[in-house]
Amino acid sequence: MTPPLRILLADDEHLIRGALATLLGLEEDLSVVAEAASGPEALAMARAHRPDVAVLDLQMPGMDGIEVAAELRRVVPDCRVMIVTGHGRPGYLKRALEVGVRGFLPKTVSAADLAGIIRTVRAGGRYVDPELAADAISAGESPLTPRETDVLELAAHGTSIGEIAERAALSPGTVRNYLSAAATKLGAENRHAAVRIAREHGWI
């Protein structure tokens, strides 16, 4: 008899995680072997339990689902990764696929569909929600350079120009230039509006 697929569930919302664990536990060929409420905890659980599939929330404390997926690829390479999210923005999908995520779907998915997608992903397949894929195609590529993206991401946390310069190892003048260029490319009147626009598209 084939042993059940071993699953790690990571979501900082306890109610959602618990409900998912219960519903997936009803499937004879699936077994939830570990649960986590944060990115670092998900990594620790994956190292300890070596799951077949990790089902990760996109936004978690400590590390987001994409950061966890990138690290899992290195430390538990046999584990397939799926992201379930309420924030299906185009940039997130692109970043997820770049780090090897095999499934990307909204939290509105039914438990039966989720179980089927887990099986597909474990078997080597890939699943991307059609609506999220269509949104990603229509949104297009980010117009920002990697450096502009980094600086704008630091600015998103309300960090001062001086702090951004220190963290990015740049001069304050260069930081202002990057922020100005990002705002111009995004058609924003200032860096705060640029952050909002970039976030709406999932580019930061």
Side-chain angles (χ1 to χ4, degrees):
M1 189 174 172
T2 308
L5 296 182
R6 296 163 51 78
I7 300 164
L8 161 66
L9 285 181
D11 193 309
D12 61 332
E13 294 184 60
H14 181 74
L15 189 62
I16 290 175
R17 193 177 72 248
L20 270 182
T22 300
L23 291 168
L24 292 176
L26 299 175
E27 304 286 333
E28 287 185 7
D29 61 334
L30 305 179
S31 174
V32 177
V33 296
E35 297 181 38
S38 70
E41 187 181 2
L43 271 180
M45 287 294 175
R47 284 194 185 97
H49 294 275
R50 319 298 289 190
D52 297 309
V53 178
V55 180
L56 311 175
D57 186 17
L58 177 62
Q59 296 188 327
M60 295 185 288
M63 299 169 74
D64 68 27
I66 295 171
E67 291 170 325
V68 174
E71 190 65 11
L72 281 177
R73 195 177 186 179
R74 188 179 68 80
V75 298
V76 193
D78 291 337
C79 177
R80 302 275 200 267
V81 179
M82 296 169 49
I83 286 182
V84 183
T85 177
H87 306 274
R89 292 168 186 153
Y92 294 140
L93 172 57
K94 184 173 183 293
R95 284 173 53 213
L97 296 178
E98 284 172 353
V99 300
V101 169
R102 307 292 301 182
F104 196 91
L105 49 153
K107 284 189 173 180
T108 51
V109 70
S110 71
D113 285 346
L114 178 61
I117 294 164
I118 287 172
R119 296 182 187 105
T120 297
V121 164
R122 182 56 198 166
R126 189 192 299 273
Y127 179 87
V128 175
D129 178 75
E131 284 189 28
L132 297 182
D135 288 345
I137 292 165
S138 63
E141 295 286 320
S142 170
L144 305 175
T145 67
R147 208 56 165 139
E148 288 163 358
T149 303
D150 290 344
V151 169
L152 198 60
E153 197 153 10
L154 287 170
H157 303 292
T159 314
S160 70
I161 297 289
E163 286 178 281
I164 295 171
E166 191 174 326
R167 288 194 202 177
L170 299 168
S171 72
T174 302
V175 168
R176 287 192 185 89
N177 288 341
Y178 279 131
L179 290 174
S180 175
T184 300
K185 287 179 180 180
L186 297 175
E189 66 270 18
N190 55 45
R191 64 173 164 150
H192 305 293
V195 165
R196 178 179 52 75
I197 292 167
R199 271 185 168 159
E200 284 172 357
H201 286 82
W203 291 330
I204 61 169

